[in-house]
PDB file of all heavy atoms in Angstrom:
ATOM      1  N   THR A 118     -22.707   2.340  -7.095  1.00  0.00           N
ATOM      2  CA  THR A 118     -22.827   1.501  -5.846  1.00  0.00           C
ATOM      3  C   THR A 118     -21.492   0.933  -5.464  1.00  0.00           C
ATOM      4  O   THR A 118     -20.513   0.976  -6.162  1.00  0.00           O
ATOM      5  CB  THR A 118     -23.884   0.302  -6.245  1.00  0.00           C
ATOM      6  OG1 THR A 118     -23.115  -0.523  -7.157  1.00  0.00           O
ATOM      7  CG2 THR A 118     -25.210   0.818  -6.726  1.00  0.00           C
ATOM      8  N   VAL A 119     -21.450   0.273  -4.326  1.00  0.00           N
ATOM      9  CA  VAL A 119     -20.234  -0.360  -3.967  1.00  0.00           C
ATOM     10  C   VAL A 119     -19.795  -1.401  -4.870  1.00  0.00           C
ATOM     11  O   VAL A 119     -18.623  -1.468  -5.238  1.00  0.00           O
ATOM     12  CB  VAL A 119     -20.496  -1.057  -2.454  1.00  0.00           C
ATOM     13  CG1 VAL A 119     -19.236  -1.934  -2.124  1.00  0.00           C
ATOM     14  CG2 VAL A 119     -20.671  -0.035  -1.423  1.00  0.00           C
ATOM     15  N   ARG A 120     -20.688  -2.230  -5.391  1.00  0.00           N
ATOM     16  CA  ARG A 120     -20.267  -3.221  -6.424  1.00  0.00           C
ATOM     17  C   ARG A 120     -19.726  -2.560  -7.630  1.00  0.00           C
ATOM     18  O   ARG A 120     -18.714  -3.037  -8.235  1.00  0.00           O
ATOM     19  CB  ARG A 120     -21.464  -4.162  -6.668  1.00  0.00           C
ATOM     20  CG  ARG A 120     -21.080  -5.144  -7.874  1.00  0.00           C
ATOM     21  CD  ARG A 120     -22.360  -5.923  -8.362  1.00  0.00           C
ATOM     22  NE  ARG A 120     -22.834  -6.809  -7.249  1.00  0.00           N
ATOM     23  CZ  ARG A 120     -24.085  -6.832  -6.969  1.00  0.00           C
ATOM     24  NH1 ARG A 120     -25.054  -6.099  -7.460  1.00  0.00           N
ATOM     25  NH2 ARG A 120     -24.500  -7.681  -6.088  1.00  0.00           N
ATOM     26  N   ARG A 139     -19.183  -8.939 -11.883  1.00  0.00           N
ATOM     27  CA  ARG A 139     -20.001  -8.875 -10.565  1.00  0.00           C
ATOM     28  C   ARG A 139     -19.604  -9.946  -9.629  1.00  0.00           C
ATOM     29  O   ARG A 139     -19.780  -9.698  -8.397  1.00  0.00           O
ATOM     30  CB  ARG A 139     -21.408  -9.046 -11.128  1.00  0.00           C
ATOM     31  CG  ARG A 139     -21.967  -7.721 -11.862  1.00  0.00           C
ATOM     32  CD  ARG A 139     -23.515  -7.786 -11.923  1.00  0.00           C
ATOM     33  NE  ARG A 139     -23.993  -8.896 -12.700  1.00  0.00           N
ATOM     34  CZ  ARG A 139     -24.083  -8.755 -14.085  1.00  0.00           C
ATOM     35  NH1 ARG A 139     -23.849  -7.508 -14.627  1.00  0.00           N
ATOM     36  NH2 ARG A 139     -24.571  -9.800 -14.885  1.00  0.00           N
ATOM     37  N   ALA A 142     -16.379  -8.954  -7.966  1.00  0.00           N
ATOM     38  CA  ALA A 142     -16.616  -7.744  -7.043  1.00  0.00           C
ATOM     39  C   ALA A 142     -17.314  -8.232  -5.786  1.00  0.00           C
ATOM     40  O   ALA A 142     -16.954  -7.872  -4.702  1.00  0.00           O
ATOM     41  CB  ALA A 142     -17.552  -6.696  -7.755  1.00  0.00           C
ATOM     42  N   ASP A 143     -18.328  -9.170  -5.868  1.00  0.00           N
ATOM     43  CA  ASP A 143     -18.990  -9.606  -4.685  1.00  0.00           C
ATOM     44  C   ASP A 143     -18.107 -10.381  -3.797  1.00  0.00           C
ATOM     45  O   ASP A 143     -18.108 -10.359  -2.497  1.00  0.00           O
ATOM     46  CB  ASP A 143     -20.255 -10.362  -5.078  1.00  0.00           C
ATOM     47  CG  ASP A 143     -21.347  -9.509  -5.589  1.00  0.00           C
ATOM     48  OD1 ASP A 143     -21.274  -8.413  -5.413  1.00  0.00           O
ATOM     49  OD2 ASP A 143     -22.313 -10.130  -6.187  1.00  0.00           O
ATOM     50  N   MET A 144     -17.168 -11.242  -4.331  1.00  0.00           N
ATOM     51  CA  MET A 144     -16.083 -11.823  -3.732  1.00  0.00           C
ATOM     52  C   MET A 144     -15.265 -10.840  -2.866  1.00  0.00           C
ATOM     53  O   MET A 144     -14.928 -11.208  -1.706  1.00  0.00           O
ATOM     54  CB  MET A 144     -15.331 -12.712  -4.566  1.00  0.00           C
ATOM     55  CG  MET A 144     -14.281 -13.586  -3.998  1.00  0.00           C
ATOM     56  SD  MET A 144     -13.203 -14.447  -5.133  1.00  0.00           S
ATOM     57  CE  MET A 144     -14.460 -15.275  -6.086  1.00  0.00           C
ATOM     58  N   LYS A 145     -14.834  -9.763  -3.498  1.00  0.00           N
ATOM     59  CA  LYS A 145     -13.851  -8.846  -2.794  1.00  0.00           C
ATOM     60  C   LYS A 145     -14.731  -8.249  -1.673  1.00  0.00           C
ATOM     61  O   LYS A 145     -14.086  -7.916  -0.636  1.00  0.00           O
ATOM     62  CB  LYS A 145     -13.417  -7.734  -3.813  1.00  0.00           C
ATOM     63  CG  LYS A 145     -12.710  -8.261  -5.030  1.00  0.00           C
ATOM     64  CD  LYS A 145     -11.416  -9.170  -4.591  1.00  0.00           C
ATOM     65  CE  LYS A 145     -10.644  -9.648  -5.816  1.00  0.00           C
ATOM     66  NZ  LYS A 145      -9.561 -10.415  -5.413  1.00  0.00           N
ATOM     67  N   ILE A 146     -15.934  -7.843  -2.003  1.00  0.00           N
ATOM     68  CA  ILE A 146     -16.710  -7.177  -0.933  1.00  0.00           C
ATOM     69  C   ILE A 146     -16.827  -8.230   0.298  1.00  0.00           C
ATOM     70  O   ILE A 146     -16.776  -7.713   1.443  1.00  0.00           O
ATOM     71  CB  ILE A 146     -18.216  -6.864  -1.391  1.00  0.00           C
ATOM     72  CG1 ILE A 146     -18.057  -5.697  -2.469  1.00  0.00           C
ATOM     73  CG2 ILE A 146     -19.200  -6.662  -0.329  1.00  0.00           C
ATOM     74  CD1 ILE A 146     -19.322  -5.618  -3.308  1.00  0.00           C
ATOM     75  N   HIS A 147     -17.069  -9.529   0.150  1.00  0.00           N
ATOM     76  CA  HIS A 147     -17.046 -10.458   1.203  1.00  0.00           C
ATOM     77  C   HIS A 147     -15.739 -10.485   1.881  1.00  0.00           C
ATOM     78  O   HIS A 147     -15.680 -10.656   3.168  1.00  0.00           O
ATOM     79  CB  HIS A 147     -17.440 -11.784   0.691  1.00  0.00           C
ATOM     80  CG  HIS A 147     -17.297 -12.919   1.651  1.00  0.00           C
ATOM     81  ND1 HIS A 147     -18.144 -13.021   2.727  1.00  0.00           N
ATOM     82  CD2 HIS A 147     -16.358 -13.961   1.824  1.00  0.00           C
ATOM     83  CE1 HIS A 147     -17.913 -14.096   3.368  1.00  0.00           C
ATOM     84  NE2 HIS A 147     -16.888 -14.630   2.914  1.00  0.00           N
ATOM     85  N   MET A 148     -14.678 -10.486   1.122  1.00  0.00           N
ATOM     86  CA  MET A 148     -13.265 -10.522   1.731  1.00  0.00           C
ATOM     87  C   MET A 148     -12.896  -9.586   2.715  1.00  0.00           C
ATOM     88  O   MET A 148     -12.275  -9.734   3.694  1.00  0.00           O
ATOM     89  CB  MET A 148     -12.236 -10.520   0.581  1.00  0.00           C
ATOM     90  CG  MET A 148     -12.208 -11.887  -0.244  1.00  0.00           C
ATOM     91  SD  MET A 148     -10.870 -11.765  -1.531  1.00  0.00           S
ATOM     92  CE  MET A 148      -9.384 -11.625  -0.443  1.00  0.00           C
ATOM     93  N   VAL A 149     -13.481  -8.382   2.504  1.00  0.00           N
ATOM     94  CA  VAL A 149     -13.152  -7.065   3.389  1.00  0.00           C
ATOM     95  C   VAL A 149     -14.220  -7.081   4.478  1.00  0.00           C
ATOM     96  O   VAL A 149     -14.154  -6.094   5.335  1.00  0.00           O
ATOM     97  CB  VAL A 149     -13.136  -5.772   2.726  1.00  0.00           C
ATOM     98  CG1 VAL A 149     -11.929  -5.916   1.558  1.00  0.00           C
ATOM     99  CG2 VAL A 149     -14.442  -5.554   2.016  1.00  0.00           C
ATOM    100  N   GLY A 150     -15.077  -8.061   4.659  1.00  0.00           N
ATOM    101  CA  GLY A 150     -15.902  -8.162   5.789  1.00  0.00           C
ATOM    102  C   GLY A 150     -17.358  -7.252   5.568  1.00  0.00           C
ATOM    103  O   GLY A 150     -18.006  -7.002   6.741  1.00  0.00           O
ATOM    104  N   LEU A 151     -17.594  -6.900   4.464  1.00  0.00           N
ATOM    105  CA  LEU A 151     -18.944  -6.254   4.228  1.00  0.00           C
ATOM    106  C   LEU A 151     -20.004  -7.192   3.981  1.00  0.00           C
ATOM    107  O   LEU A 151     -19.784  -8.114   3.344  1.00  0.00           O
ATOM    108  CB  LEU A 151     -18.828  -5.268   3.082  1.00  0.00           C
ATOM    109  CG  LEU A 151     -17.953  -3.971   3.338  1.00  0.00           C
ATOM    110  CD1 LEU A 151     -17.803  -3.227   2.024  1.00  0.00           C
ATOM    111  CD2 LEU A 151     -18.553  -3.163   4.449  1.00  0.00           C
ATOM    112  N   PRO A 152     -21.225  -6.919   4.498  1.00  0.00           N
ATOM    113  CA  PRO A 152     -22.379  -7.825   4.276  1.00  0.00           C
ATOM    114  C   PRO A 152     -22.803  -7.792   2.818  1.00  0.00           C
ATOM    115  O   PRO A 152     -22.519  -6.833   2.116  1.00  0.00           O
ATOM    116  CB  PRO A 152     -23.476  -7.368   5.185  1.00  0.00           C
ATOM    117  CG  PRO A 152     -23.120  -5.876   5.326  1.00  0.00           C
ATOM    118  CD  PRO A 152     -21.592  -5.825   5.327  1.00  0.00           C
ATOM    119  N   PRO A 153     -23.374  -8.967   2.353  1.00  0.00           N
ATOM    120  CA  PRO A 153     -23.681  -8.945   0.840  1.00  0.00           C
ATOM    121  C   PRO A 153     -24.532  -7.849   0.433  1.00  0.00           C
ATOM    122  O   PRO A 153     -24.478  -7.304  -0.657  1.00  0.00           O
ATOM    123  CB  PRO A 153     -24.350 -10.348   0.727  1.00  0.00           C
ATOM    124  CG  PRO A 153     -23.881 -11.236   1.904  1.00  0.00           C
ATOM    125  CD  PRO A 153     -23.690 -10.253   2.983  1.00  0.00           C
ATOM    126  N   GLU A 154     -25.494  -7.452   1.296  1.00  0.00           N
ATOM    127  CA  GLU A 154     -26.491  -6.427   0.852  1.00  0.00           C
ATOM    128  C   GLU A 154     -25.808  -5.002   0.559  1.00  0.00           C
ATOM    129  O   GLU A 154     -26.312  -4.143   0.071  1.00  0.00           O
ATOM    130  CB  GLU A 154     -27.548  -6.292   1.911  1.00  0.00           C
ATOM    131  CG  GLU A 154     -27.133  -5.921   3.432  1.00  0.00           C
ATOM    132  CD  GLU A 154     -26.876  -7.226   4.142  1.00  0.00           C
ATOM    133  OE1 GLU A 154     -26.782  -8.284   3.598  1.00  0.00           O
ATOM    134  OE2 GLU A 154     -26.972  -7.140   5.372  1.00  0.00           O
ATOM    135  N   SER A 155     -24.609  -4.879   1.138  1.00  0.00           N
ATOM    136  CA  SER A 155     -23.788  -3.660   0.944  1.00  0.00           C
ATOM    137  C   SER A 155     -23.418  -3.261  -0.505  1.00  0.00           C
ATOM    138  O   SER A 155     -23.212  -2.176  -0.873  1.00  0.00           O
ATOM    139  CB  SER A 155     -22.643  -3.413   1.831  1.00  0.00           C
ATOM    140  OG  SER A 155     -21.638  -4.473   1.495  1.00  0.00           O
ATOM    141  N   ALA A 156     -23.442  -4.409  -1.348  1.00  0.00           N
ATOM    142  CA  ALA A 156     -23.144  -4.311  -2.606  1.00  0.00           C
ATOM    143  C   ALA A 156     -23.906  -3.368  -3.512  1.00  0.00           C
ATOM    144  O   ALA A 156     -23.352  -2.674  -4.364  1.00  0.00           O
ATOM    145  CB  ALA A 156     -23.069  -5.689  -3.360  1.00  0.00           C
ATOM    146  N   VAL A 157     -25.174  -3.179  -3.110  1.00  0.00           N
ATOM    147  CA  VAL A 157     -26.088  -2.372  -3.928  1.00  0.00           C
ATOM    148  C   VAL A 157     -26.201  -0.905  -3.267  1.00  0.00           C
ATOM    149  O   VAL A 157     -27.071  -0.175  -3.808  1.00  0.00           O
ATOM    150  CB  VAL A 157     -27.380  -3.057  -4.147  1.00  0.00           C
ATOM    151  CG1 VAL A 157     -27.285  -4.295  -4.993  1.00  0.00           C
ATOM    152  CG2 VAL A 157     -28.153  -3.280  -2.766  1.00  0.00           C
ATOM    153  N   LEU A 158     -25.595  -0.654  -2.114  1.00  0.00           N
ATOM    154  CA  LEU A 158     -25.645   0.645  -1.446  1.00  0.00           C
ATOM    155  C   LEU A 158     -24.627   1.620  -2.095  1.00  0.00           C
ATOM    156  O   LEU A 158     -23.702   1.235  -2.850  1.00  0.00           O
ATOM    157  CB  LEU A 158     -25.262   0.438   0.037  1.00  0.00           C
ATOM    158  CG  LEU A 158     -26.085  -0.457   0.848  1.00  0.00           C
ATOM    159  CD1 LEU A 158     -25.576  -0.522   2.316  1.00  0.00           C
ATOM    160  CD2 LEU A 158     -27.473  -0.047   0.886  1.00  0.00           C
ATOM    161  N   LEU A 163     -23.251   4.516   3.538  1.00  0.00           N
ATOM    162  CA  LEU A 163     -22.237   3.827   4.284  1.00  0.00           C
ATOM    163  C   LEU A 163     -21.773   4.590   5.512  1.00  0.00           C
ATOM    164  O   LEU A 163     -21.641   5.795   5.337  1.00  0.00           O
ATOM    165  CB  LEU A 163     -21.119   3.374   3.368  1.00  0.00           C
ATOM    166  CG  LEU A 163     -21.400   2.558   2.160  1.00  0.00           C
ATOM    167  CD1 LEU A 163     -20.087   2.303   1.369  1.00  0.00           C
ATOM    168  CD2 LEU A 163     -22.133   1.324   2.389  1.00  0.00           C
ATOM    169  N   MET A 167     -17.353   1.389   6.928  1.00  0.00           N
ATOM    170  CA  MET A 167     -17.764   0.679   5.738  1.00  0.00           C
ATOM    171  C   MET A 167     -17.228   1.241   4.393  1.00  0.00           C
ATOM    172  O   MET A 167     -16.774   0.562   3.493  1.00  0.00           O
ATOM    173  CB  MET A 167     -19.330   0.663   5.560  1.00  0.00           C
ATOM    174  CG  MET A 167     -19.943  -0.151   6.691  1.00  0.00           C
ATOM    175  SD  MET A 167     -21.875  -0.130   6.673  1.00  0.00           S
ATOM    176  CE  MET A 167     -22.157  -1.134   5.123  1.00  0.00           C
TER     177      MET A 167
END
Side-chain angles (χ1 to χ4, degrees):
T118 65
V119 170
R120 178 187 289 132
R139 285 194 294 271
D143 288 348
M144 184 186 304
K145 303 301 182 185
I146 290 168
H147 173 73
M148 286 180 69
V149 300
L151 288 173
E154 57 269 21
S155 65
V157 296
L158 298 179
L163 305 177
M167 293 177 72

